[in-house]
């Protein structure tokens, strides 16, 4: 069941990569590049940190075939039809929710500390989005703006870690935690919720009363 959820998350990120390329006016090849970048970057970073060899995607032909099929399918679809304005946000939220949970599970299986589990889960979830946005020339990436993105991933990772330590099964823990991430992310989008921005200092470089 976890593998099925993981494939769903990978497919969602692959579609989000093509949609981001489409909005950045890239050609189909650029769409496929972003499909792969968005899909495998997070897991690759996680495996490198955990020193896991070989990298998970290098021997998983099902995953690679899925990325290609979803990427090409999305490109063909966009050739003839348009998608709703927030479609990129929805598929990105699906990918974030599932891949974050899988990252938490992989970190737990590696025997790292609970804090490291949270860090690795968030990195797994958000790295693909950051690289996708950078390749699209979008600065700063979504992660570094005030949007509720990494915070949603962190909440889901905390949820998964807590449920795991309570002794729940892997599938219920994954489903509940992924639901938490998705709900927080999409709730912030539709309700217009943002993290607070720091207040700018008044008075220029010299501080209050300068000049």
């Amino acid at each position: 069941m976890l593998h099925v959820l993981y494939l769903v998350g990978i497919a969602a990120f692959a579609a989000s990569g093509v949609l981001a390329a489409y909005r950045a006016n890239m050609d189909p090849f650029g769409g496929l590049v972003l499909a792969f970048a968005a899909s495998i970057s997070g897991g690759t970073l996680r495996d490198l940190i955990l020193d896991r060899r070989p990298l998970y995607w290098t021997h998983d032909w099902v995953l690679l075939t899925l990325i290609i099929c979803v990427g090409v399918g999305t490109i063909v679809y966009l050739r003839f039809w348009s998608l709703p304005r927030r479609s990129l946000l929805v598929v990105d939220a699906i990918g974030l929710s599932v891949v974050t949970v899988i990252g938490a599970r992989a970190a737990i299986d590696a025997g790292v500390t609970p804090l490291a589990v949270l860090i690795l889960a968030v990195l797994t979830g958000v790295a693909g989005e950051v690289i996708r946005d950078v390749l699209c020339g979008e600065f700063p990436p979504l992660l570094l703006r005030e949007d509720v993105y990494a915070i949603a991933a962190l909440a889901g990772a905390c949820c998964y870690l807590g449920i795991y330590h309570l002794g729940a099964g892997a599938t219920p823990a994954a489903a509940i935690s992924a639901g938490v991430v998705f709900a927080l992310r999409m709730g912030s989008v539709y309700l217009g919720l943002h993290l607070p921005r720091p207040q700018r200092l008044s008075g220029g470089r010299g501080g209050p009363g300068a000049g």
Side-chain angles (χ1 to χ4, degrees):
M1 182 63 181
L2 286 180
H3 187 63
V4 174
L5 285 175
Y6 185 57
L7 293 179
V8 170
I10 291 296
F13 267 150
S16 78
V18 175
L19 291 174
Y22 177 78
R23 294 190 178 188
N25 295 316
M26 292 185 180
D27 61 17
F29 179 75
L32 286 178
V33 169
L34 288 190
F36 275 94
S39 301
I40 67 175
S41 297
T44 298
L45 177 60
R46 178 200 65 223
D47 282 1
L48 290 174
I49 293 174
L50 293 175
D51 196 25
R52 295 171 61 176
R53 298 290 190 279
L55 297 177
Y56 73 103
W57 55 267
T58 59
H59 55 90
D60 191 342
W61 66 269
V62 173
L63 183 145
L64 296 176
T65 303
L66 176 66
I67 295 173
I68 293 173
C69 291
V70 171
V72 172
T74 307
I75 290 170
V76 172
Y77 185 94
L78 293 174
R79 177 66 178 80
F80 298 100
W81 299 281
S82 61
L83 290 173
R85 183 172 59 89
R86 287 181 170 174
S87 55
L88 174 58
L89 296 174
V90 173
V91 294
D92 186 65
I94 295 172
L96 175 69
S97 60
V98 176
V99 173
T100 296
V101 169
I102 297 299
R105 181 71 224 183
I108 290 173
D109 290 341
V112 300
T113 65
L115 180 58
V117 169
L118 300 181
I119 294 172
L120 287 169
V122 173
L123 287 177
T124 304
V126 306
E129 177 274 331
V130 172
I131 293 177
R132 182 197 71 204
D133 285 359
V134 169
L135 291 176
C136 284
E138 187 172 345
F139 297 100
L142 182 64
L143 172 67
L144 301 180
R145 283 174 267 164
E146 72 271 19
D147 293 68
V148 178
Y149 196 86
I151 294 297
L154 178 60
C158 290
C159 182
Y160 187 90
L161 191 60
I163 295 174
Y164 171 80
H165 283 297
L166 290 176
T171 300
I176 294 171
S177 303
V180 168
V181 178
F182 184 80
L184 287 175
R185 177 64 189 132
M186 294 312 301
S188 69
V189 170
Y190 283 97
L191 297 177
L193 302 178
H194 300 279
L195 298 177
R197 289 184 177 182
Q199 296 295 322
R200 296 181 182 273
L201 294 176
S202 61
R205 295 180 60 184

